[in-house]
Amino acid sequence: MKITNAKVIVCSPGRNFVTLKIETDQGLHGIGDATLNGRELAVASYLEDHVAPLLLNSDPRRIEDTWQRLYRGAYWRRGPVTMSAIAAVDTALWDIKGKMANMPVYELLGGASRDGVMVYGHANGSGIEHTTDEVGKYVSLGYKAIRVQSGIPGVHGAYGVGRGQMYYEPADGLMPTETIWDTAAYLRFAPKLFERVREVHGSEIHLLHDVHHRLTPIEAGRLGKSLEPFDLFWMEDCTPAENQEGFRLVRNHTTTPLAVGEVFNSIHDCRTLIEEQLIDFIRATVVHAGGITHLRQIANLAALYQVRTGSHGATDLSPACMGAALNFDLWVPNFGIQEYMRHTPETDEVFPHAYSFSDGYLHPGDEPGIGVDIDEDLAAKYPYSAKQLPIARLKDGSMWNW
Ligand code: GCO
Ligand code: MG
């Protein structure tokens, strides 16, 4: 069996996506997501110029060997561009193998460990009352877990607050939108928000919150402590994680569960965090962390330390990533939760998929492979449109972490 074509498809049905489609001499094809928000064309070129020529005529059944060849063979290891490109190849090959076996990928991984994948949705609003109402909408849609983000008085462009409620998308301009960050205002505000949400919606629903890398470790410890009475499912990205040891300080000050890892691309980014049990949930996902093959290694390491998975699932990860992630989630023994931000109807049309939502859970469906395809003709109607993620500055103009 041979790979006959590896095609990179860049499209923008509401937002940009990079997709790799691998075709074989047996008529089967597979797809993989390669989207890196705001830096899409770097991965497209990496795949088109440097990876596709290596794939031609090679055996698509050799998933592990292909992964090793692309990782070791580049000489330059890791990094989001490289690992997203490897992920796209890996996902497409798992998709092909599933189609060869006539089985969904979760069956190849070891079979279902659960009946469905608990997901969390995003409720956000302009202030405490609006956000609390939005949480109510997700409760009535059947969600068991909800991420809560709110506008903050005095903070211009607080993270996670959309312009429309359904399809929050931060990458929005040719030049980055500038937001202003105020840590003190945020630390005063956050406990009041969660106090109100618990008051109105009770203690059953799982509540999550994303700090989006804005605090120092000691500030994060203080926030976690102030949120303890409201029993969060997790506090996410409370401080930048390049310095994994920094989480020791956070951990020493709070029992609020911690989630980290949406920007990680390798097991080496989270080894200390996991081995020292400094986090509770690892957020690495298929597309940015080297595909199913590498994510499986991360999850296996995490399982040794009772760290559970909680994969990134924002709208900048395409349905191809979601399909692969859901197959992974249905199997992975140490599953925690999966993020689920609904895609626009245009995106859903370009990527026909077998996964479905019911009563707070997603199921990957039972189509062979990852259960997601791409309609190339439709994709061609939505050409690439350059967009940047926002940036954050402090009130005095200093750059901060967005
Ligand atoms: C999340 C994330 C996203 C990111 C986005 C960047 O938890 O869902 O933080 O919303 O900001 O994926 O491209
Ligand atoms: Mg996040």
Side-chain angles (χ1 to χ4, degrees), residues 120 122 147 149 159 209-213 234 236-237 259 262-263 283 312 314 339:
Y120 70 91
H122 284 205
R147 188 186 92 155
Q149 307 293 140
Y159 166 76
H209 182 63
D210 192 346
V211 185
H212 224 253
H213 325 273
W234 79 34
E236 175 185 339
D237 287 336
E262 68 181 38
V263 301
R283 282 191 37 78
H312 190 200
E339 181 179 18

Side-chain angles (χ1 to χ4, degrees), residues 324-344:
L326 291 171
N327 274 279
F328 187 87
D329 294 336
L330 202 68
W331 156 73
V332 70
N334 49 324
F335 172 73
I337 198 165
Q338 167 70 51
E339 181 179 18
Y340 174 48
M341 264 173 99
R342 288 160 298 193
H343 287 110
T344 61

